[in-house]
Amino acid sequence: MALGPLGRVIAQGILLGVSILARALPAAYASALANARKTGADKAAEEAARKGASFLGKARMSKDEALQVLNLSEGEATIEAVQKQYERYFEANKVENGGSFYLQSKIYRAKELLDEYVAEKNKEQQDAWRKEQEKGGKGYEK
């Protein structure tokens, strides 16, 4: 299968382009990495990652923001109260009724975070109660 002189020239051109890219891309990456280190961008990315931001740069919702979204105070945050406020606001912001998908997603994320928070708070209270029972229960053994 002879490609002829034109095919050979095209193949050589493609190979030349690939070899140039194979050398240029690692050099460009190394240069970009050096610039990021020099400007401190790598440290900013590490700090954002430590604070809960994803690779897209969006930080996770804070507990205070979640409480504000569902209009609750920290003392009012129980499983039932979170669920009640979630249903109320999620229903009020249905897209079919002219609501906002953005607000619905904020409400959903707030409920998700507060469910974790309430579960953690309940677990801590149960652990404290168990420790208290273990301390107090030893004196009553027969």
Side-chain angles (χ1 to χ4, degrees):
M1 178 162 154
L3 295 177
L6 183 59
R8 188 176 302 148
V9 170
I10 292 173
Q12 286 176 346
I14 291 172
L15 285 173
L16 180 63
V18 168
S19 67
I20 290 171
L21 284 176
R23 281 184 256 138
L25 288 177
Y29 179 75
S31 175
L33 193 59
N35 286 340
R37 286 188 180 131
K38 188 170 26 172
T39 61
D42 61 334
K43 295 202 181 3
E46 288 173 9
E47 182 68 24
R50 199 173 334 111
K51 288 183 178 178
S54 71
F55 69 94
L56 298 174
K58 296 179 182 173
R60 187 172 182 205
M61 182 182 287
S62 70
K63 180 184 66 170
D64 292 334
E65 183 182 2
L67 288 167
Q68 282 182 336
V69 167
L70 292 181
N71 195 25
L72 293 168
S73 69
E74 199 166 333
E76 296 173 325
T78 63
I79 293 173
E80 296 81 20
V82 169
Q83 184 65 34
K84 179 182 174 190
Q85 292 295 84
Y86 165 76
E87 289 171 357
R88 176 180 172 199
Y89 292 129
F90 197 83
E91 187 68 31
N93 286 291
K94 273 194 168 178
V95 177
E96 297 84 27
N97 300 338
S100 166
F101 179 74
Y102 172 75
L103 288 177
Q104 273 192 319
S105 66
K106 285 292 237 185
I107 293 163
Y108 180 81
R109 293 297 174 206
K111 178 191 180 298
E112 194 175 53
L113 189 131
L114 289 178
D115 283 343
E116 290 175 13
Y117 168 71
V118 169
E120 186 177 303
K121 187 170 81 169
N122 288 344
K123 185 179 182 299
E124 288 174 2
Q125 288 175 348
Q126 287 176 350
D127 290 345
W129 183 79
R130 278 193 202 113
K131 285 181 183 178
E132 187 64 33
Q133 290 299 316
E134 288 173 3
K135 285 181 183 177
K138 290 181 182 177
Y140 297 110
E141 291 180 12
K142 294 182 181 177

